[in-house]
Amino acid sequence: MIPKIILGKGERATRRLIGYLYGPGSANEHTDPHLVASWNGFAPDPGRSPHRNPKAVEDQLAAQLDQPVKMLGDKAPTTTVWHCPVRAAPEDPILTDAQWADIARRIVAAVGIAPEGDEEACRWVAVRHADDHIHIAATLVRQDGRRPRRDHDIRAVQREARKIEADLGLRRLNPGDGTAAKRPTSKEHFKAKRQGQDTTTREILRMRVRRGVAAASSETEFFALLEATGVNVRPKTGPSGDVLGYSVALPGDLNKHGEPVWFSGSTLAGDLSLPKIRHRLTVTAPEPVTARPADPWHEATAATERIPDHLTRSDDDIAQGQLVALGGTLDLLPLTAPAAARSELERAAAAFERATRSRITADLDSARVLRRSVQTILRTPVASRDGAGLAMLLDAALIAVAFARHWHRTRRHAQQEAAAQQALVHLQTAYAHVAVPFLDDLARRTPGIQTKQRYAHHLQQAVPKHADRILQDPAWDALATVLADAETAGHSPAILLDHALGQRTLDDARNPARALTWRIHRLGQRHTPSPRAQAAMARSTTRRPTTTAHPPAATPTAAQQPPHSRRR
């Protein structure tokens, strides 16, 4: 159940609101508007007065609501109208008028508009004009002339909504922390439906702005990227000529006056205001490119693989910074993906967006490498023609998102936890589209039985407790192929396995052979060491005990890992 508080100002604010509630709606969506409850149970109902002029009854209802306000004259407050739509979830049963009436009474009591038993409280009405929601309208002067005590009414209405959900057996929504982006209004949803769009303009603009922030290395580039994606940009300048903010609009999205519908960055999401974007661009500015830059897919994958350690070992501000960078990565990946996976990746990015924000201040500088490498991928998309780079990065992202869900759960970030879980579902589908064809191709090229037996022997020596799981994994043939390819390139399979196992424990891997396949594939593409270096590494490997292939004991055990991470 979703309540939303809207405040109204102006001399005719009450009359305008009553006219809207009893009108046809923006898309003729209002059907059978009528009162379900009021402050005294006897308020005039324009929807149930068939023998009278409905407009006259609307005037009468608005006048009665406004009477305490008018009595104050010049001392009346500027804000006079409290408006709260309350909407049920799509899967909830259709509630009766009596149930909606009880919901309205509980909400106005909870927020201090009309405490139970207070005969001098504010005047209010609840109007129903659709199956799934009501509108509560109240005037903010009590009948005794005092102002209502409605401190923290947004929190109060949310708390009461959670209680109502439990009492009526409705869908239980997750409590928020005030960091969620603003939801599209009903009017925006109806407009999108009329235009044949599945997504509202607000959501489209939010995603394009987030991509612009993730891809840009400067403010100038950020605005240029927005315009390149078809977004109209209107800077807000101060008297000095300095740019203080910005607004964006989609071409062709017009209001009833034929003017563009503009959204400021801060109304799209709190972290998309220009000051916050400037801060993010400043602290994550790209570092100078080295003479021999690494493969950006490998860099991004390695940085993503480090996110679980940050989430389990680092301070909260660093962990939050890693989540912001992971969200930026997911925002940009659809631009590099094949068509079969693109829509699922877009859904994953849209879902995970909620998991990137909390009350914890993010240390953005800690994730500079991930941001830089993904930007490089975007600028050089031919770096992974066979899809292996994207598959490797998605494999690492799946674990990172699972750990993000666990991190939010331990901090009781309910909405963020649910968002990470939703993103996992979409990422798993996208991963299957990208990785399965590549793994199948590797399996078709698997080496002979003697070579595979030699690799199996290496596994049993290097990681005895996981060897049987790896050899029974459907991806074992693909792993044997990448080991053979690396050996052909001059690498030692035993040393590669040792390095791959040392990168991260397999305790949390549902498919250990698949996890090793991507690690070996990445390691095998690195510059082949010289014979002297190979000999030195071999001597070092023989001196190290098997247990050093795993991370230090501080790494959480399988029982401590989030379930989705363990099943991978």
Side-chain angles (χ1 to χ4, degrees), residues 306-427:
R306 290 192 289 271
I307 290 177
D309 285 335
H310 284 298
L311 294 177
T312 53
R313 298 181 183 183
S314 299
D315 294 337
D316 279 0
D317 56 344
I318 293 177
Q320 182 65 48
Q322 296 291 319
L323 296 182
V324 172
L326 180 58
T329 299
L330 297 181
D331 288 336
L332 295 180
L333 282 185
L335 303 179
T336 71
R342 196 170 301 142
S343 62
E344 288 296 331
L345 286 176
E346 288 174 346
R347 293 186 182 99
F352 195 74
E353 178 258 354
R354 180 65 189 98
T356 62
R357 288 190 306 276
S358 72
R359 290 291 182 184
I360 299 170
T361 301
D363 179 354
L364 300 173
D365 188 60
S366 66
R368 187 191 297 265
V369 172
L370 177 57
R371 175 178 168 83
R372 180 195 63 206
S373 56
V374 175
Q375 288 177 341
T376 304
I377 289 171
L378 191 65
R379 295 184 176 104
T380 57
V382 296
S384 182
R385 294 181 183 275
D386 58 4
L390 178 58
M392 282 190 298
L393 183 49
L394 287 179
D395 185 73
L398 278 166
I399 296 179
V401 172
F403 271 78
R405 188 190 72 161
H406 182 68
W407 187 83
H408 281 305
R409 177 191 297 164
T410 60
R411 285 150 185 81
R412 298 187 178 181
H413 300 164
Q415 291 185 357
Q416 292 90 331
E417 178 193 346
Q421 171 58 34
Q422 186 179 1
L424 266 179
V425 174
H426 296 300
L427 276 179

Side-chain angles (χ1 to χ4, degrees), residues 30 38 85 125 148 180-181 210 272 277 339 343 410 414 431 456 493 539 548 553:
H30 295 181
S38 67
V125 294
R210 283 178 59 84
L272 297 182
I277 289 175
S343 62
T410 60
Y431 176 85
R539 289 193 298 272
T548 59

